[in-house]
Amino acid sequence: MSGGADVRVSEAVRTFAMPGGVPVEVLRGLTLHVAAGESVAVTGPSGSGKTTLLQLIGALDRPDSGEIRVNGRDLANLDERARCVFRNREVGFVFQSHHLLPQLTALENVLVPAWGADAAEERADRARALLERVDLADRCGHFPGQLSGGERQRVAVARALVMGPCLVLADEPTGALDRRNAGELMDLLLELNREEHATLVVVTHDEACAQRLGRRVSIRDGRVMDGNEKGQDDERC
């Protein structure tokens, strides 16, 4: 990985049709800049647009208007194949639910993003190293049903990192974990941010986790209310 991703969201609008056809504007001209290598916590009440913002930045969705630029490229103008390549090679997703495939071992789950990619053996070596890094070296051959909730989430983090992404997007990654496992997960994400310079954007309701990231962005009613509050990496989740 050559460095982190510079993310610029400009006047992004996203509207969804609710039951009955009633339109709901989730993002209302949201503007945000996350510099390459930053770690940012995105906070705000439920329904404020946090997850929608993450989906736009990760090219899982498109804005109705406005721009989403990552390292200068407007994601809305990429065709579907280019968007798939971007998601696979440059973005690592970590969700509250681990979404592991139950029929695959821990190692095989980590390698899912590398299916069809070049340098398969190199990717396998990185997958094993990542599992060792999250203290799961002895669980490579275990299936998700044989792992604890914290272990499954650590496998999911390793999977998100296996392609060496320049951008890591985490949506409530500690929400289903106890305090100890949540702290260890944040340790890993922050190590990645420092050592590999990946840009890290974390949506969270967890105050302790938000404080550990470099900056906090507060969203309310589809707009950024405060994007300058500094966090501190001085306490565990």
Side-chain angles (χ1 to χ4, degrees), residues 54 92-96 153 156-157 160 168-173 185 189:
L54 224 58
F93 294 97
V94 183
F95 302 103
Q96 181 173 344
Q153 189 67 317
V157 171
V168 176
L169 304 175
D171 193 359
E172 299 286 1
L185 176 63
L189 292 176

Side-chain angles (χ1 to χ4, degrees), residues 105-139:
T105 66
L107 179 61
E108 290 168 340
N109 265 287
V110 174
L111 283 169
V112 165
W115 287 354
D118 295 333
E121 188 56 41
E122 180 181 331
R123 298 297 181 189
D125 290 343
R126 178 172 172 84
R128 294 187 188 95
L130 285 166
L131 285 170
E132 181 175 1
R133 189 171 179 178
V134 297
D135 295 324
L136 292 176
D138 60 343
R139 297 287 195 272

Side-chain angles (χ1 to χ4, degrees), residues 26 42-51 172 203-205 217-223 225:
V26 177
V42 180
T43 64
S46 297
S48 59
K50 303 184 301 297
T51 295
E172 299 286 1
V203 164
T204 184
H205 284 99
V217 172
S218 298
I219 295 179
R220 186 177 295 274
D221 296 328
R223 296 186 178 93
M225 305 304 293

Side-chain angles (χ1 to χ4, degrees), residues 171-191:
D171 193 359
E172 299 286 1
T174 64
L177 302 180
D178 59 36
R179 187 61 57 186
R180 180 181 65 83
N181 280 308
E184 291 177 354
L185 176 63
M186 286 303 301
D187 287 343
L188 178 62
L189 292 176
L190 288 165
E191 285 173 14

